[in-house]
C-alpha cells in the first residue's frame, strides 16, 4: 500500500495541473447538482414501524384535517399588563391575515376561542338553571295531575253510587201496577234522576279526557327534560374535560394561538415560516410582543454561522503557529474547504430525493473540516521534515504520500467504517447521516492523497518560511561542524544518542519515566470525569433547549409560566372506536375514554378534540404536568400505553400514541436499543483493521480500551453541562434537560474513528522506530517524539473546529459539538499521549506480540512505510521502477 501511495503522490506531483483540473471539474459538477436538485431538509426523526408513525398514518387516512403540522404563537403585552379589548382585536385581525400564507390551513384565535368557551360555559350555567326550573314546574304539574285524578276518581265513585240507587228504584217501580198514578210519578222521577246522572257522567268523561291529555303532556315534558338533562350533563363533562386546556392565561397577560398547516412541519418551507412571522410581527405597533414556538422559527436551511467561523479561525491560527507561513497554513484549510464543498454539496444535492435531517450535512461539514485539515497537515508536516533533511522536492512529496499518506488512508478508513456502520442500526435518518459523513471523510482522504501533493509541487519551497530555512541552516551547520572530526558511523551513533536524549525530555519522557503513576493518575481522572455519565437521560431537544435570547425559548418559558410546562408538549392519543355508533354515543364514549386517560399520574388534562365522520377514529389531546423532555412526561407516555389494555377492556376502544412528544420517546428508546450492537460492530471491525495495521494483539486492545475511557468521560462532561447545568452560563445552557437522544450513537462512531486516527499516528511512529531496530521501550519515546507535535496540532485544530459548533445556530448540534470537542481533547492528550505511551512502555516488547500463525496469515499493509523507507533510502530520488524491500526481521511473533 505504501508503494502504491508513493506512486500516486509522485504522479500527482508530476501532473499537478491535471489533478487540480480534475478536482475543479468535480467541484463544479457537484455544485451544479446541488443548485439544481437541492430540496428542503427537516428534523423528522420518525422511525418506520413505531406506534407513533402508525398512528400518524392512521390520522392521515381517517382524519386528514388533524394530520397537518402546527406551531404555537405566544402573545404578551409589552407593558406586562392585561390585554386591552383593542389589543385583543389586533391579535385576531393579525391571525386572520396569516390564513392567506401558503400551506396555512387555519388558525386558532386565543381570544375568540376563550370567548366561545366562556359563552358555552355561560349557556351551560343558564341551561342548568332552566333545567332546574323545568323540573320544579313538572313537579307542580305532577301534583296538579294527581289531585285532579283523585277528584275525578271521587266523582266516579259518587256517580256509580247514584246509578246503583236509580237501578234499585227501577226494580221497585217494576213492582207497582202499570198505569197507576204512583207508577207514573215514580217513572218521571227516575227519568229525571237518570238524566241528571248522565249529565254528570258526561262531565266526568270530559274531565278524564282532560286528565289524559295533561298526563300525555306531562310524560312528553318528562322525556324532553330527560333529553335536555342528558345533553347538559354531556356539555358539563365536555367543559370539565376542556378545563385544563386554556388559550388565555388566568391573569390575562399571556395568550397562545395555534397555526395549523396543511402539511407536516418538515414540509413547511423557511419562506412560509418567515411569512407567518412577518404577518404577526406587525403587532409590535400595538404594544404586543409575539414569540414563536420552535416548530415555526426553526430554519435548518443554513449550515454555517458565526460560531463555526470562529472555530475555523482558531484552527487557522494553530496552523500558522505550527507551520510558520500563511501559504503553508492555508493549504490544509483549502484542502478541507474543497473536501467539504464536494462532500456536503453532494449531500445537499440528494436532499431533493432523500429525506434528510439538518444534522446530516452539519455533521458532514463538522467532520469534513476537522479531518480535512488534519489529514493534509500530516502529509504537509512529513514533507516539510523531509525537505529539511535535504530530500528532493517531488521525491519528498511522493515519500510523504507513501508514509504519512498511508497512515492517513487507514486512519480515514476507521472513521468511514465507524460512520457507515450507522446504517446497521435500522434507523433511516441515522443511516443517511452516517453515509453522508462517511462519504465526506472519504473525499477528504482522497483530496489529501492527490490534491495536496499536486499543490505542494506548485508551492515548491514556499511551504517553509525563509525564517525556518535560515534557522534550520544554522542548526545544520552547527551539526556539520561538530561531526567534521567524526566518521560516518560515529556521526550516526552521535545523532542517535542525541535523539535518544531528546526523546527523554518533554511530556513523552516524563510519562515513560513514571509510567505507573502516569497511567493510574490518567485512568482515575477519566473515571472521575465519567461519573455523571451514570445519570445520562436521552430525549430530543425542545424549546427550552434553545438560546435564552431566542423567540422559541421565550415562547417555551412564557407558556410554562402561564399555562404549565405540559402545554409545551401535548401528547396525541388516537382511539379506534367500535362500529355502529351515532354522534351522541361516540361523544359519550370519548368522554369516558378521556376520563380514564385523566386518571394516569401526571396528566393534567385529557380532551377529546376530534372524531371522524364515521365515528370510528377519535383524537384526544393529553396535557402532561411537565415539559416534553422531562422524565415524568416520558413516564406518562409509558403509563398511557399501559392504560390502553384497561381502556380496551372497559370501553372496547383501542388507543395509540402519536405526536412529537411520543415520537421523541420512541426514537430515544430505539436508539438506546441500537447502541450495544452498533458498538460491537464498530469495535469489532476496527479491532480487525488495527490488528492488520499494527500486527499486534495488545496495541489494538489497548487502543480500544482507551477509546472506551474517552467515551464515558465525554458522556460525563455532556451530562454535567447539558443535563445538570454545570458551567451553563459559559456554554449558554439556560434550561438543562435530557441529552440529545442520538448523541451517544453518533459520538461512539465519530469519536472512535477519530481516536483511531491519533492511535495510528502515535503508534505507527513507535512501530516504525521498533521495526528499524530500536529497543521497544525506547521506540515508544522515539515514536512519541516524532508524532506528538503534529498530533498535538491536529487535536487542537479538531477541537477548535468542533468547539465552533458548541454555539451553533442549530441547537441540537451544540451538545454534539461539545461532546466531540471534549472527547477529542481527552482522547488525544489523556489517552493517546499519556495512557498509551505509559502502558506501552510498561509492556515493552510484548506490546508487539502476535501469534506466529496469525502473523503469517495477515497481509502486510506496512502502514508506517518501512519498506518504502528502506527502498527509497537506497534508490535514486528520481527512480521509477521500485520494488518492495524484504520484510524487517525483528518484528516479534509468537
Amino acid at each position: 500500500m505504501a508503494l502504491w501511495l508513493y506512486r500516486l503522490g509522485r504522479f500527482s506531483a508530476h501532473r499537478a495541473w491535471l489533478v487540480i483540473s480534475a478536482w475543479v471539474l468535480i467541484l463544479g459538477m457537484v455544485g451544479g447538482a446541488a443548485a439544481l436538485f437541492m430540496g428542503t431538509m427537516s428534523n423528522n426523526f420518525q422511525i418506520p414501524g413505531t406506534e407513533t408513525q402508525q398512528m400518524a398514518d392512521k390520522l392521515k387516512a381517517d382524519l386528514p384535517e388533524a394530520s397537518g403540522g402546527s406551531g404555537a404563537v405566544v402573545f404578551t403585552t409589552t407593558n406586562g399588563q392585561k390585554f386591552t379589548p383593542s389589543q385583543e382585536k389586533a391579535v385576531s385581525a393579525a391571525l386572520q391575515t396569516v390564513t392567506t400564507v401558503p400551506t396555512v390551513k387555519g388558525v386558532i384565535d386565543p381570544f375568540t376561542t376563550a370567548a366561545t368557551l366562556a359563552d358555552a360555559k355561560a349557556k351551560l350555567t343558564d341551561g342548568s338553571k332552566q333545567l332546574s326550573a323545568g323540573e320544579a314546574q313538572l313537579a307542580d304539574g305532577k301534583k296538579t295531575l294527581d289531585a285532579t285524578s283523585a277528584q275525578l276518581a271521587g266523582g266516579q265513585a259518587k256517580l256509580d253510587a247514584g246509578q246503583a240507587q236509580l237501578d234499585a228504584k227501577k226494580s221497585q217501580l217494576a213492582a207497582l201496577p202499570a198505569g197507576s198514578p204512583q207508577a207514573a210519578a215514580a217513572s218521571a222521577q227516575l227519568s229525571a234522576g237518570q238524566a241528571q246522572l248522565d249529565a254528570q257522567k258526561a262531565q266526568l268523561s270530559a274531565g278524564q279526557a282532560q286528565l289524559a291529555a295533561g298526563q300525555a303532556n306531562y310524560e312528553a315534558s318528562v322525556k324532553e327534560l330527560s333529553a335536555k338533562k342528558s345533553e347538559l350533563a354531556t356539555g358539563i363533562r365536555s367543559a370539565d374535560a376542556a378545563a385544563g386546556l386554556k388559550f388565555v392565561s388566568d391573569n390575562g397577560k399571556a395568550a397562545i394561538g395555534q397555526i395549523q398547516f396543511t402539511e407536516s412541519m418538515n414540509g413547511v418551507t423557511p419562506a412560509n415560516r418567515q411569512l407567518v412571522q412577518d404577518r404577526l410581527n406587525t403587532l409590535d405597533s400595538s404594544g404586543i410582543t409575539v414569540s414563536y414556538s420552535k416548530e415555526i422559527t426553526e430554519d435548518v436551511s443554513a449550515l454555517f454561522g458565526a460560531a463555526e467561523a470562529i472555530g475555523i479561525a482558531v484552527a487557522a491560527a494553530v496552523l500558522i503557529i505550527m507551520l510558520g507561513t500563511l501559504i503553508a497554513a492555508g493549504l490544509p484549510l483549502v484542502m478541507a474547504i474543497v473536501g467539504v464543498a464536494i462532500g456536503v454539496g453532494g449531500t445537499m444535492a440528494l436532499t431533493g430525493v432523500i429525506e434528510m435531517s439538518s444534522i446530516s450535512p452539519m455533521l458532514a461539514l463538522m467532520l469534513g473540516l476537522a479531518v480535512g485539515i488534519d489529514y493534509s497537515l500530516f502529509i504537509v508536516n512529513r514533507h516539510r521534515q523531509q525537505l529539511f533533511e535535504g530530500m528532493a522536492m517531488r521525491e519528498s512529496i511522493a515519500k510523504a504520500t507513501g508514509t504519512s499518506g498511508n497512515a492517513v488512508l487507514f486512519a480515514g478508513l476507521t472513521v468511514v467504517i465507524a460512520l457507515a456502520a450507522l446504517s446497521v442500526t435500522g434507523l433511516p435518518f441515522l443511516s443517511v447521516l452516517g453515509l453522508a459523513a462517511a462519504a465526506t471523510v472519504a473525499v477528504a482522504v482522497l483530496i489529501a492523497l492527490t490534491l495536496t501533493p499536486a499543490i505542494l509541487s506548485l508551492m515548491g519551497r514556499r511551504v517553509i518560511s525563509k525564517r525556518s530555512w535560515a534557522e534550520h541552516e544554522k542548526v545544520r551547520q552547527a551539526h556539520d561542524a561538530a561531526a567534521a572530526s567524526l566518521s560516518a558511523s560515529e556521526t550516526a551513533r552521535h545523532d542517535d544518542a542525541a535523539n535518544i536524549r531528546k526523546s527523554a525530555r518533554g511530556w513523552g519522557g516524563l510519562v515513560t519515566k513514571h509510567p505507573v503513576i502516569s497511567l493510574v493518575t490518567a485512568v482515575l481522572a477519566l473515571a472521575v470525569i465519567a461519573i455523571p455519565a451514570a445519570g445520562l437521560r436521552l430525549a430530543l431537544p425542545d424549546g427550552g433547549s434553545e438560546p435564552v435570547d431566542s423567540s422559541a425559548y421565550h415562547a417555551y418559558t412564557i407558556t410554562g409560566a402561564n399555562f404549565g410546562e405540559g402545554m409545551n408538549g401535548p401528547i396525541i392519543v388516537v382511539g379506534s372506536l367500535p362500529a355502529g355508533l351515532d354522534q351522541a354515543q361516540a361523544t359519550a364514549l370519548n368522554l369516558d375514554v378521556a376520563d380514564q386517560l385523566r386518571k394516569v399520574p401526571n396528566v393534567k388534562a385529557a380532551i377529546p378534540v376530534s372524531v371522524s365522520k364515521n365515528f370510528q377514529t377519535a383524537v384526544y389531546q393529553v396535557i402532561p404536568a411537565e415539559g416534553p423532555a422531562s422524565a415524568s412526561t416520558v413516564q406518562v407516555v409509558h403509563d398511557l400505553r399501559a392504560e390502553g389494555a384497561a381502556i380496551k377492556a372497559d370501553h372496547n376502544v383501542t388507543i395509540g400514541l402519536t405526536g412529537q412528544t411520543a415520537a421523541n420517546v420512541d426514537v430515544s428508546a430505539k436508539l438506546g436499543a441500537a447502541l450495544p450492537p452498533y458498538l460491537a460492530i464498530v469495535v469489532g471491525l476496527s479491532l480487525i483493521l488495527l490488528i492488520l495495521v499494527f500486527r499486534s494483539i495488545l496495541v489494538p486492545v489497548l487502543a480500544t480500551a482507551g477509546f472506551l475511557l474517552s467515551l464515558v468521560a465525554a458522556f460525563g462532561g455532556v451530562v454535567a453541562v447539558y443535563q445538570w447545568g454545570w458551567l451553563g452560563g459559559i456554554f449558554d445552557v439556560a434550561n438543562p434537560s435530557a441529552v440529545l437522544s442520538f448523541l451517544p450513537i453518533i459520538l461512539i462512531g465519530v469519536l472512535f474513528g477519530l481516536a483511531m486516527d491519533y492511535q495510528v499516528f502515535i503508534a505507527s511512529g513507535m512501530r516504525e522506530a521498533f521495526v528499524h531496530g530500536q529497543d521497544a521501550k525506547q521506540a515508544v519515546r522515539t515514536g512519541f517524539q516524532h508524532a506528538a507535535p503534529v498530533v498535538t496540532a491536529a487535536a487542537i485544530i479538531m477541537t477548535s473546529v468542533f468547539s465552533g459548533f458548541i454555539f451553533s445556530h442549530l441547537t441540537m448540534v451544540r451538545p454534539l459539538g461539545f461532546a466531540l470537542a471534549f472527547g477529542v481533547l481527552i482522547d488525544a492528550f489523556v489517552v493517546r499521549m499519556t495512557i498509551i505511551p505509559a502502558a506501552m512502555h510498561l509492556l515493552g516488547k510484548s506490546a508487539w506480540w502476535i501469534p506466529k500463525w496469525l502473523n503469517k496469515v495477515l497481509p502486510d499493509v506496512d502502514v508506517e512505510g518501512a519498506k518504502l523507507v528502506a527502498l527509497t533510502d537506497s534508490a535514486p530520488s528520481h527512480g521509477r521502477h521500485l520494488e518492495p524491500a524484504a520484510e524487517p526481521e525483528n518484528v516479534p511473533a509468537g
Side-chain angles (χ1 to χ4, degrees):
M1 184 61 69
L3 184 57
W4 185 86
L5 291 174
Y6 170 88
R7 289 171 174 164
L8 177 64
R10 189 178 60 186
F11 172 83
S12 299
H14 280 275
R15 301 287 187 271
W17 286 112
L18 177 63
V19 173
I20 293 171
S21 300
W23 280 111
V24 169
L25 178 62
I26 293 171
L27 182 60
M29 292 173 62
V30 170
L36 291 173
F37 306 116
M38 183 171 64
T40 58
M41 292 179 293
S42 72
N43 279 331
N44 178 19
F45 302 115
Q46 289 278 17
I47 303 175
T50 59
E51 179 184 291
T52 50
Q53 187 60 51
Q54 292 171 355
M55 291 300 103
D57 294 340
K58 179 177 176 63
L59 278 183
K60 190 174 183 179
D62 297 349
L63 268 169
E65 63 273 17
S67 63
S70 67
V73 183
V74 180
F75 304 95
T76 54
T77 57
T78 54
N79 59 8
Q81 301 299 313
K82 291 184 178 181
F83 289 96
T84 64
S86 62
Q87 287 176 325
E88 293 180 1
K89 291 180 181 178
V91 169
S92 300
L95 282 171
Q96 192 58 39
T97 65
V98 173
T99 58
T100 61
V101 174
T103 72
V104 170
K105 178 167 53 180
V107 298
I108 297 179
D109 183 340
F111 299 108
T112 301
T113 304
T116 301
L117 291 175
D119 183 57
K121 188 175 182 180
K123 288 181 178 179
L124 287 174
T125 302
D126 184 57
S128 181
K129 291 179 181 178
Q130 291 180 7
L131 185 65
S132 297
E135 287 178 333
Q137 187 177 357
L138 280 178
D140 292 341
K142 177 67 172 173
K143 291 180 181 178
T144 301
L145 288 174
D146 291 343
T148 302
S149 179
Q151 184 179 0
L152 289 174
Q156 183 68 51
K158 290 180 180 179
L159 287 176
D160 290 342
Q163 185 65 53
Q165 289 178 357
L166 286 176
D167 291 341
K169 288 181 178 181
K170 285 181 181 179
S171 298
Q172 294 175 359
L173 179 62
L176 294 176
S180 65
Q182 294 85 350
S187 177
Q189 185 179 4
L190 286 173
S191 296
Q194 187 63 52
Q196 184 180 1
L197 190 63
D198 289 340
Q200 291 175 347
K201 285 182 178 181
Q203 186 178 358
L204 181 64
S205 295
Q208 288 175 333
Q210 186 176 359
L211 177 63
Q215 189 70 36
N217 287 335
Y218 172 79
E219 291 175 354
S221 297
V222 168
K223 188 175 181 180
E224 182 181 357
L225 189 65
S226 178
K228 289 183 177 179
K229 189 174 183 179
S230 176
E231 183 180 346
L232 182 64
T234 300
I236 292 173
R237 289 186 67 192
S238 299
D240 290 342
L245 185 63
K246 297 179 180 178
F247 294 93
V248 180
S249 63
D250 292 334
N251 58 17
K253 297 179 181 179
I256 299 179
Q258 287 284 337
I259 312 296
Q260 298 172 310
F261 296 89
T262 57
E263 54 192 357
S264 70
M265 293 307 299
N266 299 315
V268 180
T269 64
N272 286 338
R273 294 171 193 257
Q274 187 58 50
L275 197 54
V276 168
Q277 296 173 57
D278 292 341
R279 298 286 171 86
L280 295 177
N281 287 341
T282 57
L283 290 169
D284 289 344
S285 60
S286 301
I288 299 171
T289 301
V290 187
S291 302
Y292 305 92
S293 69
K294 183 172 176 284
E295 292 77 15
I296 294 178
T297 60
E298 189 173 53
D299 181 3
V300 297
S301 59
L303 295 180
F304 208 74
E308 293 87 340
I310 293 173
I312 293 180
V314 174
V318 174
L319 285 170
I320 293 172
I321 293 171
M322 179 184 178
L323 301 178
T325 169
L326 288 174
I327 295 178
L331 177 58
L333 283 173
V334 171
M335 297 299 96
I337 291 171
V338 172
V340 163
I342 294 174
V344 176
T347 300
M348 299 299 291
L350 294 174
T351 55
V353 293
I354 299 175
E355 184 175 356
M356 191 176 298
S357 66
S358 62
I359 201 170
S360 296
M362 181 62 78
L363 182 64
L365 172 67
M366 192 187 305
L367 283 177
L369 286 172
V371 302
I373 293 173
D374 282 359
Y375 290 167
S376 291
L377 175 62
F378 291 136
I379 294 175
V380 170
N381 184 66
R382 184 67 174 248
H383 173 54
R384 282 162 52 90
Q385 291 175 355
Q386 292 170 167
L387 288 180
F388 280 135
E389 295 169 0
M391 190 175 292
M393 177 64 62
R394 289 179 176 172
E395 179 65 20
S396 174
I397 294 172
K399 189 174 179 181
T401 307
T403 52
S404 290
N406 205 9
V408 164
L409 178 62
F410 283 95
L413 189 57
T414 60
V415 181
V416 170
I417 288 174
L419 291 170
L422 288 170
S423 302
V424 305
T425 61
L427 311 177
F429 73 91
L430 268 185
S431 299
V432 173
L433 181 150
L435 291 174
T440 304
V441 171
V443 170
V445 171
L446 290 175
I447 286 177
L449 297 176
T450 57
L451 188 58
T452 298
I455 295 182
L456 282 175
S457 70
L458 298 180
M459 291 174 64
R461 292 188 179 272
R462 286 175 296 175
V463 74
I464 299 175
S465 67
K466 293 180 179 179
R467 180 180 177 183
S468 297
W469 273 117
E471 292 176 352
H472 173 72
E473 186 62 23
K474 290 180 181 179
V475 173
R476 188 188 65 78
Q477 289 176 358
H479 174 270
D480 291 346
S485 60
L486 302 176
S487 64
S489 59
E490 289 174 336
T491 300
R493 287 195 298 271
H494 179 271
D495 290 345
D496 289 341
N499 289 332
I500 290 173
R501 288 193 301 271
K502 186 178 179 180
S503 68
R505 297 192 294 267
W507 182 252
L510 178 64
V511 168
T512 52
K513 283 178 184 176
H514 309 284
V516 175
I517 295 175
S518 300
L519 184 62
V520 172
T521 302
V523 171
L524 287 177
L526 292 184
V528 171
I529 295 173
I531 289 174
L536 177 66
R537 191 166 57 81
L538 303 176
L540 287 174
D542 54 31
S545 303
E546 296 292 311
V548 292
D549 58 347
S550 66
S551 179
Y553 181 80
H554 291 159
Y556 185 92
T557 53
I558 292 170
T559 299
N562 291 276
F563 301 93
E565 294 286 344
M567 280 291 289
N568 285 300
I571 301 168
I572 306 302
V573 178
V574 181
S576 298
L577 310 183
L581 301 178
D582 58 27
Q583 184 171 2
Q585 291 171 328
T587 301
L589 182 58
N590 285 335
L591 288 170
D592 290 340
V593 172
D595 289 343
Q596 195 155 342
L597 292 173
R598 211 174 297 116
K599 294 176 183 178
V600 172
N602 289 314
V603 168
K604 285 185 61 178
I607 310 104
V609 293
S610 184
V611 65
S612 61
K613 294 179 180 179
N614 61 2
F615 305 116
Q616 291 188 16
T617 301
V619 179
Y620 314 87
Q621 190 173 59
V622 175
I623 308 298
E626 297 186 18
S630 68
S632 69
T633 300
V634 174
Q635 189 58 46
V636 166
V637 170
H638 295 315
D639 291 344
L640 286 172
R641 285 171 170 159
E643 191 68 20
I647 292 175
K648 175 66 175 177
D650 295 344
H651 307 292
N652 195 25
V653 174
T654 303
I655 66 167
L657 273 57
T658 190
Q660 194 61 51
T661 301
N664 291 354
V665 174
D666 284 350
V667 170
S668 299
K670 189 80 172 179
L671 287 167
L675 272 177
Y678 173 70
L679 184 60
I681 291 172
V682 169
V683 172
L685 290 176
S686 296
L687 271 175
I688 294 172
L689 180 63
L690 289 174
I691 291 173
L692 179 66
V693 168
F694 292 115
R695 307 185 78 81
S696 165
I697 300 298
L698 292 180
V699 172
V701 170
L702 189 61
T704 303
F707 155 72
L708 295 175
L709 278 174
S710 301
L711 181 66
V712 293
F715 282 153
V718 170
V719 170
V721 173
Y722 290 92
Q723 190 172 313
W724 293 359
W726 293 5
L727 304 177
I730 296 176
F731 294 103
D732 195 18
V733 183
N735 187 22
S737 61
V739 174
L740 184 68
S741 59
F742 50 84
L743 182 147
I745 201 164
I746 293 178
L747 182 61
I748 287 173
V750 175
L751 186 58
F752 189 84
L754 299 180
M756 295 308 105
D757 276 6
Y758 299 130
Q759 179 69 23
V760 167
F761 289 111
I762 287 283
S764 62
M766 297 174 183
R767 187 172 191 274
E768 182 177 355
F770 178 64
V771 165
H772 285 85
Q774 284 194 358
D775 172 77
K777 292 182 181 293
Q778 178 56 43
V780 171
R781 290 181 174 179
T782 301
F784 184 91
Q785 177 195 353
H786 290 161
V790 68
V791 169
T792 298
I796 293 174
I797 289 169
M798 199 167 284
T799 301
S800 301
V801 173
F802 289 150
S803 294
F805 291 85
I806 294 176
F807 302 97
S808 171
H809 62 292
L810 293 179
T811 307
M812 71 172 60
V813 175
R814 295 183 171 196
L816 184 57
F818 175 87
L820 290 173
F822 189 58
V824 165
L825 201 63
I826 287 175
D827 191 84
F829 293 105
V830 181
V831 175
R832 306 304 151 190
M833 300 180 71
T834 303
I835 293 177
I836 294 298
M840 291 187 67
H841 191 271
L842 289 171
L843 289 171
K845 188 176 181 180
S846 60
W848 303 107
W849 174 85
I850 187 172
K852 288 183 179 180
W853 65 267
L854 184 58
N855 190 46
K856 293 178 181 179
V857 171
L858 291 177
D860 183 16
V861 296
D862 189 22
V863 71
E864 69 281 351
K867 295 179 181 179
L868 182 60
V869 171
L871 179 62
T872 56
D873 284 348
S874 60
S877 61
H878 61 281
R880 293 181 177 274
H881 303 288
L882 302 176
E883 297 299 334
E887 172 72 11
E889 297 178 356
N890 65 341
V891 178

